[in-house]
Amino acid sequence: MRFDTITIFPQMIDAYMNESIIKRAREKKLIESYAHNLRDFSADKKHKKVDDRPYGGGAGMVLGVEALSRALVKIPKKKRQLVVLFSAAGRQFDAAIAARWAKKYDQIVMIAGRYEGVDERIVKVLQATCLPDRQANYLRTRQAGNLQTVSIGPYVLTGGELPALVVIDAVARHIPGVLGSHESLEEKRHGIGVPVYTRPEVFTWRGRQYRVPKILLSGDQKKIAEWRAKRKIK
Ligand code: SAM
């Protein structure tokens, strides 16, 4: 799986991609990550400006469509490419989507917005650039097969870099070989929300003792599985 992120802060993406399980997955060539600096595609060679004031007035700046369009067509295109535009108002990203994307696509291109967001015309540019002609002609929404507008949660962040990393991490976990056997998919092993404990068996803190539930020390795997199943979030 190839991940391409268009951003004005590529080092934010690279920093995360160079640690832990994700770094190992890159070294094993299971995933590739390219953080493209949007400023490199600015027509303004001197100041590398990529934003401007919003039409209609108001505070803040808007990421322009020009450099973004140039960046988009420069990124090598794989056969099963998905393009993701981030917005707090987009479709809620979740575990099922992550698993589906890992199977369905071999490349995810992500546009990380900043400031007041991205010039809305990027949607039309994306439709014209990334979708087959027949789809682009009748498409009226921001969601269409290999073009998705995605939110990672009901809150507004300062930029799309964290959403991009959330997507990379959540999707990568579903690619065979990315997780080692002892890290295998949490949702398959214990289940999401199941409490976990490690040594010491009894933790003493400010005069009180905190114990590991007895069932987990029993060695009775059947009972342990039942105990975990009860606590699992379905
Ligand atoms: N007024 C803008 C809007 O309604 O989208 C807010 C822009 S926000 C300050 C800057 C950028 O952060 C957005 O363009 C988007 O890329 C990203 N962003 C913020 N919150 C997000 C969320 N919950 N999910 C995904 N992306 C988000």
Side-chain angles (χ1 to χ4, degrees):
M1 172 75 81
R2 173 180 168 131
F3 296 99
D4 291 275
T5 311
I6 307 175
T7 165
I8 57 170
F9 295 113
Q11 49 310 355
M12 286 188 185
I13 305 294
D14 291 339
Y16 190 80
M17 298 307 293
N18 277 321
E19 298 291 341
S20 186
I21 293 172
I22 294 292
K23 178 185 180 191
R24 197 181 59 205
R26 286 182 53 226
E27 286 168 352
K28 283 166 74 187
K29 310 245 179 291
L30 296 169
I31 60 171
E32 293 173 272
S33 169
Y34 300 90
H36 307 274
N37 192 339
L38 183 60
R39 296 190 189 284
D40 293 344
F41 300 90
S42 170
D44 170 10
K45 293 297 163 217
K46 194 171 175 197
H47 303 290
K48 307 232 171 212
K49 194 171 154 69
V50 289
D51 59 334
D52 218 321
R53 285 167 294 148
Y55 278 114
M61 300 295 269
V62 175
L63 274 188
V65 76
E66 291 167 297
L68 264 176
S69 307
R70 276 194 290 274
L72 269 170
V73 292
K74 273 278 155 76
I75 293 173
K77 192 173 176 192
K78 291 188 89 171
K79 223 174 178 179
R80 294 178 289 127
Q81 185 195 60
L82 168 72
V83 180
V84 174
L85 189 58
F86 288 115
S87 163
R91 175 188 183 193
Q92 174 66 56
F93 181 71
D94 62 19
I97 295 176
R100 195 161 60 244
W101 287 1
K103 275 206 184 121
K104 192 167 174 190
Y105 300 107
D106 57 8
Q107 180 180 26
I108 302 181
V109 178
M110 293 168 283
I111 299 173
R114 277 269 151 187
Y115 316 125
E116 297 306 303
V118 181
D119 184 321
E120 186 66 17
R121 287 171 292 180
I122 193 63
V123 177
K124 293 277 173 224
V125 170
L126 285 170
Q127 289 167 359
T129 318
C130 309
L131 296 177
D133 287 348
R134 73 195 143 74
Q135 269 186 40
N137 286 341
Y138 65 74
L139 205 122
R140 292 282 175 273
T141 70
R142 283 162 154 257
Q143 319 288 0
N146 65 327
L147 181 57
Q148 302 277 319
T149 304
V150 163
S151 164
I152 61 155
Y155 36 76
V156 180
L157 301 164
T158 55
E161 289 74 17
L162 284 174
L165 289 169
V166 165
V167 167
I168 294 172
D169 196 297
V171 170
R173 297 175 74 250
H174 289 275
I175 295 170
V178 166
L179 299 181
S181 53
H182 61 289
E183 300 146 353
S184 62
L185 281 178
E186 171 67 23
E187 44 278 47
K188 285 196 182 145
R189 260 181 314 134
H190 291 177
I192 297 170
V194 175
V196 288
Y197 300 84
T198 187
R199 282 173 225 281
E201 200 178 305
V202 182
F203 173 51
T204 307
W205 179 251
R206 294 186 172 167
R208 282 187 67 179
Q209 288 193 327
Y210 300 85
R211 293 177 177 277
V212 173
K214 276 206 180 83
I215 186 85
L216 298 179
L217 309 171
S218 68
D220 185 334
Q221 291 308 318
K222 192 168 169 269
K223 283 212 169 108
I224 292 173
E226 283 166 9
W227 182 89
R228 285 179 173 153
K230 270 192 206 146
R231 284 151 184 86
K232 193 149 98 178
I233 291 172
K234 299 279 182 318

